[in-house]
Amino acid sequence: MDEQTINIYCDESCHLEHDGNDIMVLGAITSPECEKENIFKIIREIKMKHGLNSWIEVKWTKISDSKVDLYIELIDYFFNNPNLSFRSIIATNKSKLDHIRYNKGSYDLWYYKMYFYLLDPLIDPSNKYRIFIDIKDTKGGPRIKKLHEVLCNNIYDFNQDVIKDIKQISSKESEILQLADILIGALSYYQRNLYETSKNKGKKSVIERIITYNINMSQTTSRSEKKFNIFIWEPRGITNWR
């Protein structure tokens, strides 16, 4: 297979330490860099088809009954596009984490460990990668740099020839990052048991659409699953990241 550059777009749900949620969902959509502009163009066309300005940001929190057809079409586009793949980590029992013992007292260190577990299986040293992470806050720069270093060292990419860069961007800049937000939001909603009791018919319909593609949102998939990969992580046996 010829070498190609792969872009990875990452986002998260319920990632704050004291947000009242006991799970965190991280997710990443991968796509060949050469397909980026075409994917952006098609998603913008879908927005316009449903009466939105092409530059309006679509995201899970905006889903309503009146716009459900837009979001269902975006789900269908993801599943029918062979150039788009999704991987997620669902970290459970967030309140039971022992940061003193395992994470040098730092929740943020654990957060970036989870990003390592999300991204590492996606890296094939025969390709090159650019990774884009939705901006968490203004303090993420040093941890992003460390994440880049650890990912590279893990595959002996000491000159960063394989993983070219990791940088933070706003989801407003990327239609693919917006698509990741929708998939992550759906997983988080389902995992927090909001699906069964929700009065938001739009969000329920989007989740039901994902399920029609034979997706079981409640269990870990095979590591080799490419299209919609889920890994449910529990806080036991985690090793120190020095």
Side-chain angles (χ1 to χ4, degrees):
M1 180 183 295
D2 294 337
E3 179 187 273
Q4 59 179 329
T5 298
I6 305 294
N7 288 348
I8 304 178
Y9 300 87
C10 307
D11 203 353
E12 69 280 307
S13 175
C14 306
H15 66 278
L16 299 176
E17 183 174 9
H18 302 296
D19 57 12
N21 295 299
D22 212 26
I23 69 161
M24 176 179 75
V25 181
L26 301 181
I29 287 182
T30 61
S31 178
E33 187 173 61
C34 62
E35 295 291 331
K36 183 184 88 168
E37 293 305 324
N38 186 52
I39 292 169
F40 280 21
K41 175 177 178 289
I42 291 173
I43 292 177
R44 288 169 186 157
E45 288 172 351
I46 292 173
K47 292 179 189 178
M48 290 188 290
K49 175 183 173 182
H50 292 275
L52 291 184
N53 183 295
S54 64
W55 299 103
I56 292 291
E57 183 179 13
V58 290
K59 57 194 308 181
W60 175 256
T61 57
K62 291 185 176 182
I63 296 177
S64 63
D65 296 357
S66 63
K67 290 297 180 184
V68 65
D69 290 344
L70 160 65
Y71 287 90
I72 285 178
E73 186 165 350
L74 290 171
I75 293 299
D76 289 341
Y77 175 67
F78 166 78
F79 279 103
N80 292 307
N81 187 335
N83 292 307
L84 294 170
S85 298
F86 177 73
R87 171 171 162 79
S88 62
I89 282 190
I90 300 166
T92 64
N93 297 300
K94 199 167 70 173
S95 63
K96 297 179 177 64
L97 295 169
D98 186 349
H99 296 303
I100 299 298
R101 182 177 180 185
Y102 294 116
N103 302 309
K104 301 180 182 178
S106 169
Y107 175 88
D108 280 349
L109 181 57
W110 171 79
Y111 171 83
Y112 284 104
K113 284 181 180 179
M114 293 300 101
Y115 255 118
F116 175 83
Y117 297 140
L118 172 73
L119 292 168
D120 181 59
L122 298 176
I123 305 300
D124 177 351
S126 65
N127 293 320
K128 296 185 182 299
Y129 295 86
R130 288 190 167 88
I131 300 171
F132 304 93
I133 296 179
D134 190 37
I135 295 173
K136 178 187 174 189
D137 53 42
T138 58
K139 301 177 182 178
R143 286 296 187 195
I144 292 290
K145 183 177 180 181
K146 181 65 174 178
L147 176 63
H148 190 187
E149 177 187 327
V150 172
L151 283 166
C152 288
N153 290 350
N154 190 57
I155 58 170
Y156 306 103
D157 179 28
F158 302 117
N159 294 322
Q160 301 182 351
D161 294 321
V162 175
I163 305 174
K164 304 295 290 183
D165 54 40
I166 301 180
K167 66 180 181 178
Q168 294 177 299
I169 63 170
S170 167
S171 57
K172 293 179 181 180
E173 302 175 49
S174 170
E175 267 68 23
I176 300 178
L177 195 52
Q178 293 170 36
L179 192 56
D181 175 275
I182 295 166
L183 296 177
I184 293 162
L187 266 178
S188 176
Y189 207 73
Y190 189 90
Q191 284 287 327
R192 288 184 289 140
N193 299 314
L194 299 176
Y195 168 68
E196 296 293 340
T197 59
S198 175
K199 295 181 180 180
N200 188 316
K201 294 180 181 178
K203 289 182 176 179
K204 288 173 71 77
S205 295
V206 169
I207 288 173
E208 288 163 3
R209 190 60 154 220
I210 293 172
I211 292 171
T212 66
Y213 287 95
N214 295 317
I215 303 301
N216 186 334
M217 300 174 75
S218 62
Q219 67 181 32
T220 294
T221 62
S222 165
R223 183 182 172 96
S224 62
E225 165 60 34
K226 298 298 184 185
K227 188 65 182 181
F228 201 97
N229 187 289
I230 299 172
F231 175 61
I232 299 177
W233 179 92
E234 296 180 2
R236 61 173 182 264
I238 188 169
T239 57
N240 275 325
W241 183 17
R242 299 185 184 280

